[in-house]
Amino acid sequence: MAVEHPPATPAGDRSRIHDIGYRGYDGPRLGRSYARRSLYSQSLRGAYGLGRSVKSKVLPMLLFAVMCVPAAIMVAVAVTTKAHELPLSYTRYAIVMQAVISLYVASQAPQAVSRDLRFKTVPLYFSRPIETADYVRAKFAALASALFVLTAAPLLVMYVGALLAKMDFAHQTKECAQGLVAVALLSTLFAGIGLVIAAFTPRRGFGIAAVIAVLTISYGAVSTLQAIADTRGSTGAVPWIGLFSPITLIDGVQSAFLGGSSAFPGGSGPSTGEGVVFVLAVLGLIAASYGLLIRRYRKVGL
């Protein structure tokens, strides 16, 4: 009886099929909201170097300390001398420290978006259940939150110190709340401007220089023009010139509606009517920043 043999394996063919246990994912699908929250939290942590190298933590933590130390010194002086008022108002603090805030934005806005552009990882984000608006909102909210932490922390130090010095509770609470509203506006505005500038260059160094130029040089130019207008007696033009710099925009809003004293030459802050224009300008810039970011990432996400 003939016996059937299996087909002979060709000489040299040593291929094998191994089952190494790969299988499809059958767990819960967390969706866009989870991805958006994760991107927000990671971007916020990254703004202070958390979860990154020690080198990445140095500058943001140093700037945070620089923001808080003057507030702590003022508190110590107020408590020691038993003063009835703080040396500097809550609404003025961010204006005085605007150079530090600008440097923080210049260092962290490119870190938030430029690396994704440089290494072309943006399309990878959009290959997951996340859309352009989700990416922009997460990055915008993260940088604005990081800036709010930077600018609100010294105000809270001042507030606690004022209460320890037994200053009037109601008065200090009102002024601190006004200062927090002002720095919330400032944080949102600066975050939008910084991200728009950084999103148009994948080179971090160029982004840093451009952000510093827009935030710092514009403030110097506007302050100079305001001083010239005040010297020549054109006091009515001083508030309108303030529309052309982000920091003077915030100064105008808080001096018109939040009880702040204006840093404009001659103390000629905007009137209530002019203050409305300042508020609209701030909100318009924030909305324009968001719109430009959406438009930018619709192109680079392809």
Side-chain angles (χ1 to χ4, degrees):
M1 182 176 64
V3 178
E4 293 185 1
H5 296 282
T9 302
D13 184 2
R14 299 186 179 183
S15 59
R16 298 287 187 273
I17 297 176
H18 298 279
D19 182 4
I20 58 177
Y22 284 129
R23 63 179 182 178
Y25 176 74
D26 55 3
R29 301 288 179 176
L30 300 176
R32 287 174 56 192
S33 61
Y34 177 80
R36 186 168 54 243
R37 288 195 304 271
S38 298
L39 182 58
Y40 166 78
S41 63
Q42 291 300 317
S43 299
L44 178 57
R45 285 167 53 84
Y48 284 96
L50 302 178
R52 301 173 62 207
S53 65
V54 175
K55 182 180 178 181
S56 301
K57 296 179 177 67
V58 173
L59 184 57
M61 293 301 182
L62 177 63
L63 293 176
F64 182 82
V66 170
M67 283 291 294
C68 292
V69 166
I73 293 173
M74 286 192 295
V75 165
V77 171
V79 172
T80 303
T81 61
K82 298 181 180 180
H84 298 290
E85 283 289 344
L86 291 168
L88 191 65
S89 67
Y90 297 94
T91 51
R92 287 280 298 141
Y93 194 87
I95 305 299
V96 172
M97 302 295 289
Q98 58 86 23
V100 179
I101 299 171
S102 298
L103 183 58
Y104 181 87
V105 177
S107 64
Q108 297 309 312
Q111 183 273 330
V113 296
S114 294
R115 294 174 67 186
D116 290 343
L117 295 171
R118 182 177 180 181
F119 296 110
K120 303 184 186 301
T121 57
V122 175
L124 297 178
Y125 284 107
F126 301 149
S127 67
R128 298 296 179 182
I130 188 172
E131 297 183 359
T132 303
D134 298 320
Y135 180 89
V136 170
R137 288 170 191 163
K139 291 292 185 178
F140 202 142
L143 185 57
S145 298
L147 275 169
F148 184 72
V149 171
L150 181 78
T151 53
L155 302 190
L156 295 178
V157 171
M158 293 167 62
Y159 178 67
V160 172
L163 297 184
L164 290 175
K166 298 182 179 180
M167 298 181 189
D168 184 69
F169 175 79
H171 178 67
Q172 294 299 322
T173 301
K174 177 184 177 182
E175 288 201 341
C176 182
Q178 291 172 335
L180 290 174
V181 172
V183 296
L185 274 176
L186 182 148
S187 300
T188 309
L189 177 62
F190 275 42
I193 293 174
L195 287 175
V196 166
I197 296 170
F200 280 89
T201 173
R203 297 291 181 179
R204 186 178 179 184
F206 293 159
I208 292 173
V211 173
I212 290 176
V214 170
L215 296 181
T216 304
I217 296 178
S218 66
Y219 176 68
V222 165
S223 298
T224 301
L225 291 174
Q226 286 178 322
I228 293 173
D230 183 63
T231 301
R232 295 186 176 182
S234 302
T235 55
V238 170
W240 299 113
I241 297 174
L243 290 171
F244 297 95
S245 169
I247 195 67
T248 52
L249 272 174
I250 299 299
D251 190 3
V253 170
Q254 66 184 19
S255 62
F257 298 110
L258 298 174
S261 59
S262 176
F264 292 176
S268 55
S271 63
T272 302
E274 294 167 340
V276 172
V277 178
F278 273 71
V279 171
L280 293 176
V282 170
L283 297 178
L285 279 175
I286 293 172
S289 299
Y290 177 77
L292 287 171
L293 286 170
I294 291 289
R295 183 176 180 181
R296 170 63 170 160
Y297 281 98
R298 280 177 179 164
K299 293 181 178 180
V300 299
L302 296 176

